[in-house]
Amino acid sequence: MTDLLQLVFAGLSQGAVYALIAIGFVSVFTVSGVINLAQGEFAALAGLVAISAVGSGLPLPAAAAVALATVAIVAVLMERLTIRPVKRMTTLVSLILTLGVSTALKALMLLVFGPNAEGLTPFTPGGFTVAGVSIRYQELWILAIAAVVASAVYWFYDHTLAGKSLRACAEQPVAARLVGISLGRASLMAFLIAGCVGAVAGVLASPIYFTSWESGLTLGLKGFVAATLGGLVSVRGAVLGGLLLGVLENLTAGYISTGLRDAVAFLLLIVVLVARPSGVFGRHAEARV
Amino acid sequence: MSLTVRGLVAGYGRLSVLHGVDLDAAEGRLVAVIGANGAGKTTLLRALSGLIPVSGGTVTLAGADVTGYGPERLARAGLAHVPENRLVFPSLSVEDNLVLGAYTRRRRPAAERAHARDRALELFPRLQPRLQQAAGTMSGGEQQMLAIARGLMAQPRVLVLDEPSVGLAPRLVGEIFAALGRLRDDGLTLVAVEQNARAAFAVADHVYVMDRGRVVLDGAAATLAADPRVTAAFLGGGVSADGGGKPPPATDTAADAGLR
């Protein structure tokens, strides 16, 4: 029982990281049909920038802010330079384009930050034990901040004009243009959101899971699987998908074999795509974001 | 505010659909464009509001040349387009659809938007009890009303509508055209593309008949309604006042009636 609780708890905090990255996939995909394979790199870049900012003497909150700002700028530049100029964007074209961006970002990170994997200092070091379950303070930070950020994104889409305009673009792009919403600006805003949630995920995850120039690959793929579990069009689905994936991974690692941890995601992806292409939690295809 | 179209040429890629269309909608007039399927009516509206590129001719809005403007810019210039098949934002509430309709007015005082909302709801009181409902769950007629109300939220000076009656029961068609008539009486300029010629003739001031990308006939609604070529092709047995009636047959009616 203690084992189970331990694994579920660890899974939830890991899943919260996936959930944030999944929100990035959803925010971009719904507005522009782009599957952004550089989403994981946003997280890795944020982790590395934060680590080196702390290394150069900045306090942790400032370092996190620098990381967030850097990734936000990178995401916006990426949209303007590689997505906007494409006249007829299809999902296939977007995969090839963003794979290119992802590779370029990885090379850049290797060049700037070197090949070593490092961990950011935890926000609060140490941990405690409750009913035999050991909990690190950093895991609580992850859960709390991820919950705040996910709620903020949800609130943004539900209650602000800008958020509603993004949903309008996602549901009826033609009608959105007719009421005066610019699809270009919507796409830029979607990338900005994706950059921010990715950066938060990267900074949160770094103290526990470590960050290197290539850790974006795994994070990105897990985030993509989480988003797909939710049908790729719903923030709520992405969050549930992330948590589910995190828990399943940890249960597999704990009860079956650590080596199978990464296989779970892809097994799950195949099953979902075959059995429920609209996502595990998707009720109707219409409601997006 | 008037809308003037001169020699409009437009199409999809290299395929030209409109071959020089002229159209005038004077301020406070309701202009109907009728014609069989494939006559180019929808293409005309799509070119007017910038959804497809214009390759020749001009579009003038209140004396200002707006040819080649994109839809976002035209919306700001005062043209609202109620699209074919309504295209409401389905998962958003009726209220939010209206809010987004006023997107171009988002920096104006809230009182202005509230006024536009009150007027739209007064025109379509059926929307009032549904404000919190997801737009996609409403009936076709209610969605059409919402699409028009959403267009009105921008407080446009010209409203163009693509097939507002399609797929609706005759009683609803009458209701919607009566609303368009009221908007016209309030001074709005309207251009409605319609398959349902009876409904169009019942309220329009001026009617254009399109065929194969050209205007083949136009005139005051009362005059045209008496034209034997029009009655034969589009109206069957005369014009009924209730705005109901069957859509025209899908055959090449214009040729049958000797319009070419």
Side-chain angles (χ1 to χ4, degrees):
Chain A
M1 189 59 198
T2 309
D3 280 357
L4 180 67
L5 281 176
Q6 179 75 65
L7 291 169
V8 168
F9 180 77
L12 285 176
S13 79
Q14 196 164 10
V17 173
Y18 299 158
L20 288 179
I21 294 172
I23 290 175
F25 276 105
V26 167
S27 108
V28 166
F29 179 74
T30 47
V31 167
S32 54
V34 168
I35 291 179
N36 176 20
L37 294 181
Q39 182 67 41
E41 272 62 48
F42 290 169
L45 179 62
L48 290 173
V49 170
I51 290 167
S52 83
V54 165
S56 69
L58 276 186
L60 193 58
V66 170
L68 185 70
T70 309
V71 173
I73 292 168
V74 166
V76 164
L77 282 178
M78 173 183 175
E79 200 278 340
R80 283 290 108 135
L81 297 178
T82 66
I83 305 297
R84 185 188 169 91
V86 179
K87 280 230 177 70
R88 278 175 188 276
M89 181 61 79
T90 63
T91 299
L92 181 63
V93 169
S94 81
L95 284 170
I96 297 165
L97 264 176
T98 59
L99 182 63
V101 173
S102 147
T103 311
L105 281 176
K106 268 191 274 205
L108 204 68
M109 286 188 275
L110 179 59
L111 209 65
V112 175
F113 301 101
N116 297 328
E118 286 180 74
L120 186 63
T121 31
F123 299 3
T124 313
F128 57 93
T129 305
V130 167
V133 177
S134 80
I135 291 170
R136 279 175 284 190
Y137 288 119
Q138 181 66 27
E139 290 173 306
L140 293 181
W141 276 111
I142 292 180
L143 286 170
I145 295 180
V148 169
V149 171
S151 314
V153 170
Y154 206 77
W155 181 84
F156 168 78
Y157 279 117
D158 242 19
H159 292 285
T160 68
L161 183 66
K164 288 169 191 170
S165 76
L166 290 187
R167 290 171 64 192
C169 291
E171 294 188 349
Q172 291 291 0
V174 171
R177 296 182 72 194
L178 290 176
V179 298
I181 300 166
S182 147
L183 297 188
R185 268 181 57 187
S187 165
L188 192 66
M189 213 187 307
F191 266 85
L192 184 62
I193 295 170
C196 290
V197 292
V200 172
V203 171
L204 284 177
S206 184
I208 296 186
Y209 309 108
F210 295 99
T211 316
S212 78
W213 64 280
E214 53 182 357
S215 51
L217 176 68
T218 329
L219 281 175
L221 285 172
K222 301 284 178 64
F224 177 70
V225 172
T228 310
L229 286 176
L232 210 52
V233 292
S234 132
V235 170
R236 194 192 318 228
V239 171
L240 291 175
L243 296 176
L244 180 69
L245 179 61
V247 170
L248 281 180
E249 271 190 8
N250 275 275
L251 291 179
T252 309
Y255 287 121
I256 305 170
S257 152
T258 323
L260 279 178
R261 173 192 287 272
D262 288 341
V264 173
F266 303 103
L267 212 62
L268 213 55
L269 183 64
I270 292 168
V271 171
V272 169
L273 288 181
V274 170
R276 299 266 336 233
S278 62
V280 180
F281 319 106
R283 274 163 304 172
H284 44 98
E286 224 170 43
R288 306 187 109 197
V289 185
Chain B
M1 188 151 82
S2 63
L3 177 75
T4 310
V5 178
R6 286 287 169 270
L8 196 67
V9 180
Y12 302 92
R14 287 171 60 191
L15 173 74
S16 241
V17 177
L18 301 179
H19 312 284
V21 171
D22 294 339
L23 183 142
D24 286 286
E27 175 154 359
R29 309 278 276 173
L30 201 175
V31 170
V33 181
I34 62 171
N37 271 332
K41 305 187 300 294
T42 291
T43 307
L44 171 65
L45 287 200
R46 291 172 65 90
L48 271 184
S49 55
L51 284 173
I52 57 170
V54 169
S55 46
T58 57
V59 180
T60 315
L61 197 61
D65 185 2
V66 296
T67 317
Y69 277 27
E72 303 87 355
R73 204 169 160 200
L74 272 163
R76 285 199 301 273
L79 181 104
H81 180 148
V82 179
E84 193 176 11
N85 302 324
R86 295 116 202 185
L87 306 187
V88 298
F89 305 121
S91 86
L92 290 158
S93 67
V94 170
E95 180 81 64
D96 284 347
N97 271 267
L98 294 177
V99 166
L100 285 168
Y103 187 79
T104 54
R105 305 225 146 227
R106 64 193 181 282
R107 301 200 211 290
R108 311 282 303 170
E112 236 176 66
R113 293 194 297 273
H115 177 67
R117 178 180 175 279
D118 289 347
R119 287 192 57 188
L121 289 176
E122 192 192 321
L123 193 66
F124 297 116
R126 282 169 184 250
L127 296 178
Q128 183 79 53
R130 308 217 175 252
L131 284 171
Q132 299 314 318
Q133 192 176 328
T137 62
M138 297 200 302
S139 74
E142 287 161 342
Q143 289 192 27
Q144 185 62 58
M145 291 174 190
L146 175 59
I148 297 172
R150 182 180 63 187
L152 292 173
M153 285 298 289
Q155 293 169 271
R157 292 186 280 190
V158 176
L159 184 71
V160 302
L161 304 103
D162 200 345
E163 305 262 7
S165 79
V166 75
L168 303 186
R171 199 170 50 79
L172 278 174
V173 174
E175 207 171 307
I176 280 170
F177 271 83
L180 298 184
R182 281 181 59 193
L183 289 170
R184 180 257 324 269
D185 297 341
D186 289 347
L188 187 65
T189 307
L190 296 107
V191 178
V193 148
E194 237 339 303
Q195 286 261 349
N196 186 336
R198 278 165 185 277
F201 269 101
V203 286
D205 302 304
H206 199 96
V207 176
Y208 286 81
V209 180
M210 280 187 74
D211 185 52
R212 302 192 182 181
R214 288 190 173 81
V215 170
V216 289
L217 200 63
D218 80 285
T223 320
L224 271 198
D227 189 310
R229 293 171 295 179
V230 172
T231 45
F234 297 105
L235 299 175
V239 186
S240 66
D242 67 357
K246 295 190 196 93
T251 54
D252 191 352
T253 45
D256 296 344
L259 289 177
R260 276 197 300 275

